[in-house]
Amino acid sequence: MVKERSKCMVMLKHIMGKLKNLLQLILKFDVVEFVETPRANDKEVVPNDVKEGYFAVLSVNAEEEPKRFVVELHWLTNPSFLKLLKQAEDEYGFEQKGVLEVPCRAEELQKILEFKIGVAV
């Protein structure tokens, strides 16, 4: 009886490890959705690729083409992302319509969005 219980515990730990790895992979690919589209126009209020609970952000930098990201709402509480929003406020004010533009390189925004719960994925 003890051997069987021990065997079951080993199998359970193995399965839990596999599930943990799978969950980490799912989280890794669910963090950021890259979308190659031009800036939103005034007629299009919410683009088709922006699902409920998400919003669009455009990294704008004079050195490169703007890159559009579709990100989850929880990023609005992230300190690094909030710094970008403050920079956008300082540079553009509150009059932006459509896609939210932030003054940074796409690579910088991508690094912020890839950082999740204290662990870079």
Side-chain angles (χ1 to χ4, degrees):
M1 181 76 167
V2 174
K3 276 187 172 181
E4 286 181 33
R5 178 176 251 168
S6 175
K7 211 180 220 185
C8 287
M9 289 301 291
V10 169
M11 287 178 57
L12 182 61
K13 285 182 182 180
H14 179 72
I15 291 170
M16 292 300 289
K18 294 271 187 188
L19 286 173
K20 180 181 174 187
N21 290 341
L22 180 62
L23 181 60
Q24 287 175 343
L25 281 174
I26 291 170
L27 290 175
K28 179 178 180 178
F29 292 108
D30 193 36
V31 173
V32 179
E33 182 180 334
F34 301 100
V35 181
E36 297 291 336
T37 58
R39 295 181 187 195
N41 57 33
D42 290 336
K43 296 176 187 172
E44 187 176 34
V45 178
V46 179
N48 292 337
D49 62 336
V50 180
K51 299 180 278 188
E52 186 175 332
Y54 290 77
F55 63 102
V57 179
L58 192 67
S59 66
V60 179
N61 183 321
E63 300 171 6
E64 63 186 13
E65 286 291 316
K67 183 152 185 161
R68 189 166 169 269
F69 297 83
V70 177
V71 298
E72 292 181 272
L73 287 175
H74 73 81
W75 288 104
L76 293 173
T77 60
N78 179 282
S80 298
F81 192 80
L82 289 174
K83 286 179 187 177
L84 282 178
L85 290 181
K86 178 64 176 149
Q87 289 175 0
E89 175 192 347
D90 293 343
E91 190 161 329
Y92 308 121
F94 290 105
E95 300 302 318
Q96 293 189 53
K97 291 184 180 182
V99 177
L100 176 64
E101 294 183 9
V102 292
C104 72
R105 293 187 343 233
E107 182 180 289
E108 293 174 48
L109 181 55
Q110 185 174 346
K111 282 183 183 179
I112 290 171
L113 297 174
E114 286 177 345
F115 192 79
K116 187 167 183 145
I117 314 172
V119 178
V121 289

